[in-house]
Amino acid sequence: MRTRTIRETRKVPHTIDGRTVLVDEPYDVHVPVPPRDWDRTVRTGVVAVAGIIGAASIGWSTASIGALLDLVVITPAAYAAAAVFDLVWIACMALEWLARYDPARAALPRRAGYVALAIAMAAVGVHGHIEAQLVIGIVGATVSGLAKGLWTLVLAHHATPLDSRTQQWVDIQRAEAGGRLAMVAVRRELTRADALVEAEQAALRTTPDPSPETPEDEAETPDDAPELPGSGPMTIADAVRTAVSCGINEPDAVLRYVRKVADANAKEESVRRTLRMARRTA
């Protein structure tokens, strides 16, 4: 069994003139070396070969299709468009790789990749036909086919489909996470809409807000209404929550309380919106 040497240190006592201290002493440790993982080496080599072949395919297809398109457009645009043909099916393979644990999601990019590959191979063959070199065009088209075929085998080797129950569990978790993510955007949209409505109403309001406290308001307040704490200062949201927690749900009563302990100029619409939110979370 092969071993390798590791240099480590340990604390040892060292005495000079009757005084002992702990000092570092290096020492060697021989640890076994695990056997070489040939499976991983082979997989790495195959992926490297597939990458080289893919790069060669892009180069060949771009040169061939670029020469074809160069007959009708300027050279930079022709070769830029030619690069798209192979890059599309390569991008589809990347999406297929990301969905390697979900065969249903991987099916669409796989089919799209085959369609893009067929178009790229046909374009290379057409270039050979136009140049009166049909055989060369067919051979050149097989370059992209071989690259796609090798990458398909590599993806199939790394794909790990889940069993039915585990796949259903993953789908449910993904749906719940997607729903929470969607609600973030929905709440942001609703908040923005409420703010726009409030701004529009404030701009159209031509009369001042009513006084925070009037004798008529006091007369309308029932004698048996719950006693609300009057300590402050508070924010509008805190005042609304305090009123709700004390059993006051009437919007006018809550508005009077907010203007008393939080903001004498509190907007009615703001208080009502905060009251609705407090009722939903109560």
Side-chain angles (χ1 to χ4, degrees):
M1 181 177 61
R2 294 191 308 162
T3 61
R4 59 190 178 96
T5 302
I6 298 178
R7 176 60 62 91
E8 296 185 356
T9 59
R10 58 190 172 191
K11 295 290 186 179
V12 296
H14 184 66
T15 304
I16 298 179
D17 295 335
R19 183 174 181 179
T20 302
V21 297
L22 295 177
V23 298
D24 292 331
E25 178 185 58
Y27 67 100
D28 295 333
V29 177
H30 299 284
V31 296
V33 177
R36 188 177 184 85
D37 188 354
W38 289 105
D39 290 345
R40 180 179 180 182
T41 302
V42 171
R43 282 195 300 267
T44 303
V46 170
V47 172
V49 171
I52 295 173
I53 293 177
S57 172
I58 294 174
W60 174 263
S61 297
T62 301
S64 179
I65 302 175
L68 174 65
L69 299 179
D70 192 31
L71 299 174
V72 292
V73 296
I74 59 176
T75 300
Y79 284 92
V84 172
F85 284 79
D86 270 10
L87 290 178
V88 169
W89 64 259
I90 290 175
C92 290
M93 285 196 309
L95 294 176
E96 184 181 350
W97 164 263
L98 295 176
R100 62 190 181 277
Y101 301 117
D102 191 344
R105 297 182 66 192
L108 179 59
R110 183 184 301 112
R111 290 193 295 266
Y114 283 124
V115 172
L117 173 65
I119 296 173
M121 295 177 66
V124 174
V126 169
H127 175 253
H129 174 69
I130 291 178
E131 296 293 335
Q133 299 291 339
L134 182 58
V135 175
I136 296 178
I138 295 174
V139 173
T142 59
V143 173
S144 296
L146 291 173
K148 169 65 174 175
L150 179 58
W151 272 111
T152 300
L153 295 176
V154 172
L155 293 178
H157 179 77
H158 286 86
T160 309
L162 305 176
D163 62 88
S164 177
R165 291 189 175 185
T166 303
Q167 186 63 60
Q168 293 179 50
W169 185 91
V170 171
D171 292 340
I172 293 173
Q173 298 300 315
R174 184 183 289 122
E176 291 179 355
R180 291 194 298 269
L181 183 61
M183 287 307 300
V184 172
V186 171
R187 291 192 183 98
R188 185 186 299 116
E189 180 182 357
L190 294 176
T191 302
R192 187 183 298 112
D194 288 340
L196 291 175
V197 170
E198 182 179 354
E200 185 72 15
Q201 292 177 345
L204 296 176
R205 187 177 296 117
T206 58
T207 58
D209 293 328
S211 59
E213 193 77 30
T214 62
E216 291 77 11
D217 293 336
E218 294 179 358
E220 293 175 358
T221 303
D223 296 335
D224 58 347
E227 183 68 23
L228 293 171
S231 60
M234 294 184 181
T235 64
I236 293 177
D238 291 337
V240 171
R241 284 194 292 267
T242 301
V244 172
S245 65
C246 292
I248 301 301
N249 291 312
E250 180 62 28
D252 293 335
V254 174
L255 178 62
R256 289 193 297 270
Y257 179 71
V258 170
R259 287 175 174 171
K260 177 180 178 182
V261 302
D263 185 0
N265 297 317
K267 302 294 189 298
E268 181 180 356
E269 181 61 26
S270 299
V271 174
R272 289 180 179 272
R273 184 173 62 255
T274 307
L275 177 59
R276 290 194 298 269
M277 295 176 62
R279 287 172 175 172
R280 287 197 298 266
T281 58

